[in-house]
Amino acid sequence: MNTKAFRKSLAVFLLLLFFPPLAGPHRVLSAEKGPPPSLDVVVKIGRLEQSLKVIDALAAAAGQPSGMPPSLMIKGMLHGTDWIDASRCVVLGVQVQDPTPDMAVLIPFKKPNPQFRDAFQAVTGPDYYFLALPPGAGNAPKALETVLAAAARSRPHVSVSAAIAIDTLLKKAEPKIQQALAALQSIPPERIPKDTPVTPAQLMEMAERALETARQLKTLTLRFNLSDQEIASEMALKAHAGTETAKLFTRKKGTSRLGDYRPKLPMTFRTQPFQMEKILSLIGDMFGAVYQHMGIDFSRIFEMSTHFTGEMAGGITFGKEGMTLETIYVLKKGTQGKAFMEKIYLPLLDHFSQAIQGAMEKQGLAPAAPIFTRLPDSTVAGHRVYGVRFRYPLPPEKGQAPEAAALLKTFGTYGARMTVIDNLLLSASSDARLKQLIKTAGQLKPGPAKGPLMRFDYDLSLYLEALKTVPGFSGAGKPLPLVGKVTTVLGMDHGRVFMRSKMKTKDIQTLLAYFKAGPSPRIPAGSK
């Protein structure tokens, strides 16, 4: 087996592992199946008219070459949308089974639309149309119609939502996964490419550990909402009760050291205490062989994590001098600051950087400069300060795109001054900023941990201002628009972990207009 064929087999295996609905081709739906207890995938579409209005506004800001709003194309395809009952959801369902999945969609109506019915060969229900997917695939199962009709009764709260039953999908896909693993295991050693990142045996071990974790998951839910005010999204994973993953996804009451720390920087981040070592242990179990191939000793990363509570907070800004950052990390009580920095933390940074550099050199992409460099130490406010500098691992200039090279050259280098005070690891871009951070840290008092597990706020105006300093940036020379922040939070509780992001709709319109082609485009009023 040559390298290309082996990698193709590996890709197919990973596809079956993480996307089991793709394990078989589509077929004509049949009507002889019994009623499924639940569907493997359910997608609900609501607030259609409102969503189309927002999509049209965004398309107009970006500049439509044809001048035709997207909603007109959708309405043309559906023979209008005024007949759809907006008080209920349009529902799409998928039931994965051998040899191929059943798929159908149910559209509730407030008045019949014979043109739609005839065009899509839809079955007419009492107040809905029901059709197999893809259209024209035949008669959809009656049991699927019953389930979707019940699901459509829910009132639409978001534009689009999807619920995916990970546990049942994995059970259905596992025979094919095991078959793919057996095929990999049977490959003779002499036919395995020497440059493959993992051997079949290592891949088997990684797969078994990944499957062990995946079996503990119950559902994946996705939500996406378009409104005049904001565009928001959510992704959530739910684990089966009583499993180790459910325990990992459940927050316990804890104490925060950084609750009163408010970084005065345009881009900020914050995490509450969490089980960092357990998460890293899970990553190491599944992908340790890949790190080993890169020359990274993952056990050292795990050892480092056992000294942190997981709580940190800080901020970032950009300017002509590059990136400026300040951060406070909370160490576990009993950690000796000087020994931790000199025997664990700094050596690990050096080891990690050397491994990345070595991996690049093996591929003929030797970095243009060292990734990690120790800078002279100093003393600030009576505390020992360690100096380091990081460079983004830039390949040789001849292998870079000019715009990317300019961006990374401007913002790809970061100098840090670090010290430990009590159980706080402080990091800042300069001794002067570190001195102020030391003062701030001395005023922090412990308190109950509140808020989401993680929160990130990004000031887009500042980011654009920084990008303007990069040669070749498409917005250079244009007047900057006034936009707000993008907010992302990560939370977990009761065996569920979720990530939510939101951004003001007017800000997205503003950015689309700013980047569209043409000299000095008209910038809509910002929402800040």
Side-chain angles (χ1 to χ4, degrees):
M1 177 181 288
N2 58 30
T3 302
K4 185 176 181 180
F6 179 82
R7 287 174 176 167
K8 184 177 180 181
S9 299
L10 178 61
V12 170
F13 160 71
L14 293 174
L15 187 67
L16 291 175
L17 176 61
F18 294 106
F19 298 97
L22 303 180
H26 297 301
R27 65 175 173 84
V28 175
L29 299 179
S30 58
E32 69 274 7
K33 302 292 187 299
S38 61
L39 297 180
D40 296 322
V41 181
V42 176
V43 178
K44 294 184 178 181
I45 301 172
R47 302 181 177 181
L48 182 60
E49 294 294 339
Q50 174 184 279
S51 299
L52 291 176
K53 180 182 175 182
V54 174
I55 291 171
D56 283 348
L58 296 177
Q64 282 287 93
S66 65
M68 178 183 294
S71 63
L72 287 183
M73 293 183 284
I74 295 174
K75 290 179 178 181
M77 181 181 67
L78 297 176
H79 297 276
T81 55
D82 58 335
W83 56 275
I84 298 175
D85 185 356
S87 67
R88 292 179 287 163
C89 292
V90 175
V91 184
L92 182 150
V94 179
Q95 186 73 6
V96 176
Q97 55 198 0
D98 283 330
T100 48
D102 286 338
M103 298 193 302
V105 63
L106 186 142
I107 305 177
F109 61 72
K110 57 186 177 183
K111 61 181 180 180
N113 186 334
Q115 289 180 304
F116 173 84
R117 179 199 62 201
D118 296 341
F120 290 92
Q121 303 175 26
V123 174
T124 304
D127 55 1
Y128 59 78
Y129 289 123
F130 177 67
L131 62 146
L133 292 178
N139 296 324
K142 184 66 178 178
L144 201 56
E145 179 181 349
T146 302
V147 175
L148 293 184
R153 295 191 190 105
S154 60
R155 295 187 63 83
H157 298 293
V158 295
S159 301
V160 180
S161 66
I164 303 169
I166 295 177
D167 49 0
T168 56
L169 285 173
L170 185 59
K171 287 178 182 177
K172 294 176 180 180
E174 194 154 340
K176 288 185 172 65
I177 294 173
Q178 295 298 341
Q179 185 179 1
L181 285 173
L184 284 171
Q185 193 176 22
S186 64
I187 299 173
E190 65 272 11
R191 300 182 66 182
I192 299 173
K194 293 182 179 180
D195 62 344
T196 183
V198 290
T199 66
Q202 290 173 323
L203 182 59
M204 286 279 293
E205 185 179 359
M206 290 169 56
E208 287 299 332
R209 289 177 176 175
L211 284 170
E212 183 181 351
T213 300
R215 291 186 190 106
Q216 300 178 44
L217 299 176
K218 185 177 182 180
T219 56
L220 167 65
T221 56
L222 307 169
R223 292 159 62 92
F224 187 69
N225 194 50
L226 298 166
S227 74
D228 294 335
Q229 288 74 42
E230 67 180 22
I231 294 180
S233 64
E234 178 186 280
M235 180 175 66
L237 273 174
K238 177 74 174 178
H240 283 286
T243 62
E244 287 300 314
T245 302
K247 295 176 184 178
L248 185 63
F249 289 172
T250 300
R251 285 183 65 185
K252 299 178 181 179
K253 292 183 179 179
T255 300
S256 169
R257 281 294 313 274
L258 307 179
D260 297 327
Y261 172 44
R262 296 290 182 269
K264 295 180 180 179
L265 290 167
M267 301 180 186
T268 61
F269 52 90
R270 176 181 301 276
T271 70
Q272 299 292 348
F274 67 96
Q275 303 173 75
M276 180 185 289
E277 65 271 25
K278 285 192 175 183
I279 293 176
L280 285 175
S281 177
L282 183 65
I283 295 173
D285 286 344
M286 289 193 290
F287 304 109
V290 177
Y291 284 100
Q292 182 180 348
H293 178 78
M294 296 171 62
I296 297 174
D297 183 355
F298 195 83
S299 65
R300 295 179 63 177
I301 299 177
F302 176 78
E303 180 191 9
M304 179 272 296
S305 74
T306 61
H307 293 273
F308 288 88
T309 68
E311 183 180 12
M312 69 178 111
I316 304 171
T317 185
F318 295 99
K320 294 181 179 180
E321 302 302 319
M323 182 175 69
T324 299
L325 184 148
E326 68 174 52
T327 307
I328 302 179
Y329 307 87
V330 181
L331 301 172
K332 290 183 179 179
K333 292 182 178 180
T335 298
Q336 300 297 317
K338 184 175 184 293
F340 172 73
M341 291 295 294
E342 296 179 0
K343 296 181 179 180
I344 298 176
Y345 193 64
L346 292 175
L348 176 61
L349 294 179
D350 186 39
H351 166 72
F352 189 84
S353 301
Q354 292 289 346
I356 297 296
Q357 188 161 335
M360 293 180 67
E361 289 173 351
K362 287 181 181 179
Q363 300 178 46
L365 298 173
I371 298 173
F372 174 80
T373 307
R374 284 282 278 117
L375 299 177
D377 295 343
S378 62
T379 300
V380 176
H383 298 278
R384 171 77 177 273
V385 174
Y386 303 88
V388 298
R389 181 171 60 205
F390 302 95
R391 294 183 188 273
Y392 189 88
L394 292 170
E397 291 186 8
K398 61 181 180 181
Q400 302 177 46
E403 295 80 4
L407 178 66
L408 293 174
K409 188 174 182 179
T410 304
F411 304 123
T413 300
Y414 165 64
R417 313 296 298 173
M418 298 184 293
T419 191
V420 177
I421 301 176
D422 295 328
N423 67 325
L424 300 179
L425 170 56
L426 312 181
S427 175
S429 301
S430 65
D431 281 351
R433 182 174 285 273
L434 185 62
K435 183 178 181 180
Q436 182 59 44
L437 198 59
I438 291 172
K439 181 179 179 181
T440 299
Q443 299 170 348
L444 299 176
K445 304 296 181 183
K450 298 179 181 179
L453 180 66
M454 300 181 185
R455 180 184 176 102
F456 306 88
D457 292 286
Y458 300 101
D459 188 309
L460 293 172
S461 291
L462 179 93
Y463 185 61
L464 288 174
E465 184 69 51
L467 288 180
K468 285 185 67 176
T469 66
V470 178
F473 172 58
S474 60
K478 299 178 183 178
L480 278 172
L482 185 64
V483 291
K485 293 183 178 182
V486 177
T487 298
T488 300
V489 299
L490 179 71
M492 60 174 62
D493 206 4
H494 305 298
R496 178 175 178 267
V497 61
F498 61 86
M499 182 172 67
R500 296 171 181 158
S501 296
K502 64 180 181 180
M503 182 176 177
K504 291 182 179 180
T505 305
K506 287 185 178 179
D507 287 348
I508 298 178
Q509 289 177 263
T510 298
L511 292 176
L512 288 172
Y514 181 68
F515 286 109
K516 76 178 180 180
S520 300
R522 177 178 176 271
I523 307 299
S527 57
K528 193 173 180 179

